């Protein structure tokens, strides 16, 4: 058997050390992801020669939409998000949220109006709102799968848009189980998803949840 870490790689952004932009509850939540990966069955595979870096199951955690840990090119990634909501607190039209939003997702029309197609749920508007008109509606993680570089690069696809961290950890387990059960020799997770389809992965994850 190869030691833990031989078949996987973990990368975290500044959220692991308390970055002020992180939407996680704290560095301890990032540590939970790494601990879950270390406890996974990836390291239980029988040794089959040297494992190249790009052949490892690569996991990333990003604390915000800046994605410094490059989750878009990892096999599995969790991106922390805070979805803003508009409360009943009166807006003073100070425009702080408009100025803070790097994606131009907010306009003022008698109060803030959020363009959900442009909003990346980074929470920056909430941080600067002085009146509490903008507040967290939902916190959680976005789950990305199947990213890779190499000869045929592919950006990771969204498995689920927003779930709790606990559910994100369950999906990490489910994706690893699916990968080990269905991969061809030395097949990358992204190539497996290309071969069987993202929907097959979703269905397998849902079935595992239903039976657990």
């Amino acid at each position: 058997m190869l030691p833990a870490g031989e078949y996987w790689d973990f990368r975290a952004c500044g959220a692991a050390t308390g970055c002020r932009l992180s939407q996680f509850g704290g560095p301890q939540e990032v540590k939970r992801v790494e601990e879950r990966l270390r406890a996974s069955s990836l390291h239980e595979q029988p040794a089959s020669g040297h494992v190249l870096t790009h052949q490892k199951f690569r996991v990333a955690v990003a604390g915000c939409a800046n994605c410094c840990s490059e989750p878009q090119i990892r096999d599995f990634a969790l991106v922390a998000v805070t979805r803003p909501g508009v409360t009943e607190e009166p807006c003073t039209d100070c425009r702080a949220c408009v100025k803070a939003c790097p994606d131009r997702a907010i306009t003022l029309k008698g109060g803030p109006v959020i363009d959900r197609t442009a909003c990346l749920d980074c929470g920056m508007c909430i941080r600067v709102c002085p009146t509490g008109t903008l507040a967290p509606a939902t916190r959680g993680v976005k789950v990305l799968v199947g990213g890779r570089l190499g000869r045929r690069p592919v950006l990771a696809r969204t498995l689920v848009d927003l779930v709790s961290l606990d559910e994100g950890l369950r999906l990490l387990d489910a994706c690893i189980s699916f990968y080990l059960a269905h991969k061809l020799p030395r097949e990358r997770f992204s190539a497996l998803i290309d071969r069987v389809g993202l929907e097959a992965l979703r269905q397998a994850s849902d079935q595992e949840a239903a039976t657990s």
Side-chain angles (χ1 to χ4, degrees):
M1 299 292 181
L2 296 179
E6 186 69 23
Y7 277 105
W8 54 263
D9 175 76
F10 179 75
R11 183 170 183 179
C13 64
T17 54
C19 174
R20 65 181 181 84
L21 297 180
S22 174
Q23 301 303 299
F24 281 111
Q28 72 279 1
E29 293 193 345
V30 177
K31 188 174 180 61
R32 287 184 63 194
V33 182
E34 184 176 10
E35 289 174 344
R36 194 66 161 256
L37 181 59
R38 287 185 180 277
S40 75
S41 55
L42 281 169
H43 68 282
E44 297 174 0
Q45 301 178 90
S48 57
H50 180 64
V51 179
L52 302 177
T53 298
H54 70 272
Q55 293 170 333
K56 296 182 178 183
F57 192 91
R58 309 183 75 186
V59 175
V61 170
C64 73
N66 288 343
C67 294
C68 297
S69 56
E70 300 176 335
Q72 302 93 338
I73 57 173
R74 308 294 165 181
D75 293 296
F76 182 96
L78 298 178
V79 181
V81 295
T82 299
R83 185 154 295 168
V86 181
T87 72
E88 295 183 356
E89 293 296 326
C91 174
T92 60
D93 292 333
C94 70
R95 299 186 59 81
C97 57
V98 176
K99 295 175 183 177
C101 179
D103 303 296
R104 299 180 180 178
I106 301 179
T107 54
L108 294 180
K109 297 178 180 178
V113 177
I114 302 171
D115 180 353
R116 297 296 181 184
T117 62
C119 178
L120 295 181
D121 301 326
C122 70
M124 293 182 70
C125 59
I126 298 170
R127 292 172 182 266
V128 301
C129 179
T131 60
T133 306
L134 290 171
T138 313
R139 294 183 186 272
V141 293
K142 176 183 289 188
V143 181
L144 304 178
V145 295
R148 68 173 184 259
L149 289 179
R151 295 171 65 91
R152 298 180 183 275
V154 174
L155 289 178
R157 288 146 279 186
T158 300
L159 183 65
V160 290
D161 186 52
L162 200 165
V163 294
S164 68
L165 177 58
D166 285 342
E167 176 64 6
L169 293 173
R170 187 197 68 78
L171 287 170
L172 173 59
D173 293 339
C175 285
I176 290 174
S177 296
F178 187 86
Y179 174 58
L180 295 179
H182 299 283
K183 74 181 183 71
L184 300 175
R186 293 192 177 275
E187 185 176 33
R188 299 176 67 174
F189 188 45
S190 57
L192 170 61
I193 295 173
D194 290 343
R195 179 164 59 85
V196 304
L198 184 61
E199 192 56 36
L201 177 61
R202 285 199 182 101
Q203 291 177 2
S205 299
D206 291 343
Q207 289 172 1
E208 182 174 299
T211 57
S212 61

